[in-house]
Amino acid sequence: TEISGAALNAGKDDTDPTQMIAMLRDISDRVEHRRDLEEKIERLDRFASIVSHDLRNPLTVIMGRVKHAEETGDPEPFETIATAHDRMEQIVSDVLTITREETTVAPSERVSIGNTARAAWQAVDTGAATLDIGTGLPTVTADANRVRRVFENLFRNSVEHGSRARGSAGDSSTE
């Protein structure tokens, strides 16, 4: 509730009002609208952070492969560049679908964890790191693109922030 007031008939020296008027106004709709806007801004900020994080990896792969191709004249990296480009298009498409529908994605595909992890590994600039996928990994019902994005983020973070030597003291990651 918002309260406004004014003095009426304040007298000759404007110090002793003989009458006052007050107005009460319900502003709960305005307050609720402001909260909704603040919530939307926060969601948009999280959204922008996620998109920039997910697109950074394919861009890094592209830049590394272009540099390699420029230095060596080897055309082979262009296949990897095309794959990274396709991955970026898929991420953008997924993001647009999610933001336009404003719904959660219901898992509906059978997704091989091993195959998805391998595909994600290929999309990440892993340098000299290696991936060893055991046998018997399950196939699950999920959204394949989201599972792949989870693996891509996991692998990128492992390469960027993980240990460099296998079995070193204090090693908390597996390479």
Side-chain angles (χ1 to χ4, degrees):
T1 303
E2 182 180 73
I3 302 173
S4 304
L8 303 175
N9 297 331
K12 295 178 185 170
D13 59 359
D14 286 340
T15 58
D16 294 323
T18 57
Q19 294 178 340
M20 294 191 67
I21 187 169
M23 182 172 40
L24 300 172
R25 184 170 31 168
D26 182 5
I27 61 169
S28 56
D29 288 344
R30 190 177 352 159
V31 170
E32 184 178 338
H33 180 68
R34 178 184 214 131
R35 282 189 200 128
D36 289 346
L37 286 176
E38 288 171 351
E39 209 173 275
K40 286 179 181 179
I41 289 169
E42 186 178 318
R43 279 197 324 259
L44 183 59
D45 189 43
R46 284 192 315 259
F47 168 78
S49 176
I50 290 167
V51 170
S52 67
H53 187 263
D54 285 353
L55 290 176
R56 185 176 1 130
N57 186 62
L59 286 171
T60 301
V61 169
I62 289 171
M63 294 308 299
R65 299 304 172 148
V66 166
K67 184 176 180 182
H68 174 75
E70 288 173 346
E71 291 173 353
T72 64
D74 180 9
E76 181 273 327
F78 294 113
E79 184 178 323
T80 304
I81 291 169
T83 301
H85 177 265
D86 292 346
R87 183 70 187 127
M88 289 173 59
E89 282 185 337
Q90 183 64 52
I91 291 169
V92 169
S93 175
D94 290 349
V95 166
L96 288 174
T97 299
I98 291 168
T99 57
R100 287 182 180 149
E101 294 177 6
E102 292 188 18
T103 59
T104 57
V105 176
S108 60
E109 302 172 59
R110 298 295 292 161
V111 179
S112 165
I113 295 297
N115 290 343
T116 304
R118 284 183 197 88
W121 185 259
Q122 294 302 314
V124 177
D125 187 7
T126 56
T130 60
L131 176 67
D132 182 15
I133 296 180
T135 59
L137 293 176
T139 297
V140 297
T141 302
D143 180 286
N145 287 317
R146 287 183 176 197
V147 173
R148 180 173 170 171
R149 236 185 341 248
V150 167
F151 277 118
E152 287 172 355
N153 288 332
L154 173 69
F155 296 151
R156 180 179 54 249
N157 289 336
S158 294
V159 169
E160 290 177 2
H161 307 292
S163 69
R164 298 290 177 221
R166 185 180 283 248
S168 60
D171 182 13
S172 61
S173 67
T174 304
E175 298 187 53

